[in-house]
Amino acid sequence: AILSYKDPVVYSISPVGAGMPITIQGDNFGDTVDLVEVKIAYQICKTLVMLVKHRVVVCTLDQEMGIFPIYIMVDDIEIYCLYALTFNPQNNHFYKSSTKLLTYEEAQLEASLTFPFELDFPPPLPAAQFPDGKLVGYLGTITSPSEFEFVKKATTPYSYAYFSAQDLSGSGLFVFGDGPEQGRKFANATSDM
């Protein structure tokens, strides 16, 4: 019997760091790691393990070099992925950059789109993040230096990150414009910048 596979697809990656287990979720990865090769930022992933057949692989990197591009080859079918959802285990948030230059309204629309796939990882998150079993997004809200560092690693020269802060009164006081932090102080242009 001749086996053939659909093109692999990458939905999300979590987290990326030297020696840390990296989880890549997607589809069409095959049912054994014998036919799978993964590279992250042009570095070969070591100790590849198939956590969930066809959907989740775990591997490690020798050194941290960024997240993208992700290269996956399954039985001679190869893809390059320039962006995917990136999971930050420090705050249980997902991040997604865009390969398109967008207006504020376009970025808000793209961020609010749901992701209709079943997550095989991480451990169960609060149900509020998954209404109707779907991941719902919003424009980024960076609330700490460590979160900012994580987002810098998750963004590539091939992608754009969109954040939401607004000065609605024209006073120089910027507030978050989207997500759970909406309305909270982001920065004061006269004293924080």
Side-chain angles (χ1 to χ4, degrees), residues 50-126:
M50 182 76 62
L51 195 61
V52 177
K53 289 182 179 184
H54 303 284
R55 297 183 53 150
V56 180
V57 294
V58 177
C59 62
T60 58
L61 295 174
D62 287 336
Q63 59 186 9
E64 188 173 331
M65 296 179 62
I67 296 176
F68 300 103
I70 301 168
Y71 163 87
I72 294 186
M73 184 166 69
V74 178
D75 194 28
D76 296 327
I77 300 172
E78 59 186 15
I79 62 148
Y80 282 92
C81 178
L82 299 178
Y83 69 96
L85 287 179
T86 308
F87 179 71
N88 183 346
Q90 295 172 347
N91 62 8
N92 287 341
H93 288 181
F94 287 89
Y95 301 86
K96 175 183 175 271
S97 56
S98 176
T99 56
K100 300 176 272 186
L101 187 57
L102 304 170
T103 66
Y104 179 81
E105 291 77 16
E106 290 169 335
Q108 247 186 335
L109 177 63
E110 186 167 306
S112 68
L113 297 176
T114 60
F115 297 90
F117 55 85
E118 184 180 321
L119 293 168
D120 292 308
F121 82 97
L125 298 174

Side-chain angles (χ1 to χ4, degrees), residues 157-175:
Y158 314 108
S159 64
Y160 301 92
Y162 291 92
F163 305 99
S164 180
Q166 301 169 318
D167 178 8
L168 298 176
S169 65
S171 65
L173 177 63
F174 286 82
V175 296

